[in-house]
Amino acid sequence: MGGELRELTVRIRHEVSDPAELAAYEKLIATDDHGLLAGVLTATGRPLWAREIAAFRLGCAGDRRAFETLVLLLNHREPARCASAAYALARLGDPRTARAAAALATNALRTAYALHPVRLLTELRAPESVPALTATLHRLLAPQEPYWRVALACVEGLGILGDRRAEPVLTQARDHPRLGAAAAEALSRLATQPSSSAPPNSQRIPPHRRAHPH
């Protein structure tokens, strides 16, 4: 069992209360039957923890039937569920993932839950990543903005992505009391990149992350 799956199962074990649920929990952890796992996602009345286990396992295996459930979990109010969903989505290899993450990251009404979508966009290095992180950061540069941790994730992500289109907004962020040091570091990384609007790395999904449609 991988570390991320182990962490998820330990967390969810605390949500399982009765013997019948425990038996279902253990079956979902042990099975390699993708059909059974996918059935959990479409069945009525299944608890959230069961859907999360099924979606996580399918997502990490590259089964695109997990996509919709993982996107819902990526924007969940509980950060641990968001983190698990982001981990699985990064390995799913579904071309819709970056667009969905960008929509969540840039939604002003859901900024409180945007941290993991922002981090996922950084990991994906998709065409949507830099525009979404730039737009989100620009919106969060007010000094009294409560979601400065999301803004910080945008700054760090833009530095990692190394796209010089981010230079104007990072220059603004350099004067922010909470973001200044990270913005200066990101700008120093951008200074080593060629003067081009094209990102330095391929934006395509790596071959090992592509999944065969199910």
Side-chain angles (χ1 to χ4, degrees):
M1 184 185 296
E4 292 292 332
L5 178 58
R6 184 180 301 107
E7 182 177 329
L8 179 146
T9 55
V10 169
R11 168 170 56 82
I12 288 179
R13 177 64 182 83
H14 296 294
E15 301 180 34
V16 178
S17 56
D18 61 48
E21 285 190 336
L22 180 58
Y25 163 87
E26 292 176 343
K27 184 175 183 179
L28 289 176
I29 297 302
T31 186
D32 290 321
D33 184 344
H34 284 199
L36 186 152
L37 293 170
V40 172
L41 303 182
T42 57
T44 58
R46 298 307 297 267
L48 180 60
W49 61 259
R51 297 179 187 275
E52 183 179 3
I53 292 173
F56 181 89
R57 296 202 61 204
L58 289 171
C60 290
D63 190 319
R64 293 179 183 176
R65 289 176 288 185
F67 175 77
E68 287 82 5
T69 301
L70 288 173
V71 169
L72 289 173
L73 290 168
L74 181 63
N75 199 226
H76 199 272
R77 66 181 181 275
E78 296 180 39
R81 296 196 193 279
C82 299
S84 293
Y87 181 90
L89 282 166
R91 286 146 186 83
L92 178 58
D94 192 305
R96 298 171 292 176
T97 298
R99 186 167 62 252
L104 294 175
T106 57
N107 186 342
L109 299 178
R110 303 294 293 176
T111 304
Y113 312 108
L115 180 61
H116 290 286
V118 164
R119 290 176 175 170
L120 177 58
L121 285 165
T122 301
E123 184 173 359
L124 291 175
R125 294 181 174 270
E128 295 87 349
S129 297
V130 170
L133 268 59
T134 299
T136 302
L137 177 58
H138 189 271
R139 178 166 51 81
L140 298 178
L141 284 179
Q144 303 305 316
E145 171 60 52
Y147 303 117
W148 64 269
R149 289 181 177 83
V150 176
L152 179 60
C154 291
V155 169
E156 293 171 343
L158 290 169
I160 290 169
L161 293 171
D163 190 315
R164 297 194 72 171
R165 290 177 294 172
E167 189 169 352
V169 74
L170 288 172
T171 300
Q172 295 179 53
R174 191 169 52 188
D175 297 327
H176 191 285
R178 293 184 184 270
L179 307 177
E185 171 64 22
L187 284 166
S188 71
R189 299 179 72 166
L190 263 61
T192 66
Q193 301 300 325
S195 299
S196 169
S197 61
N201 298 301
S202 171
Q203 302 268 343
R204 296 180 179 179
I205 298 173
H208 72 278
R209 288 191 183 171
R210 294 178 188 151
H212 298 292
H214 292 269

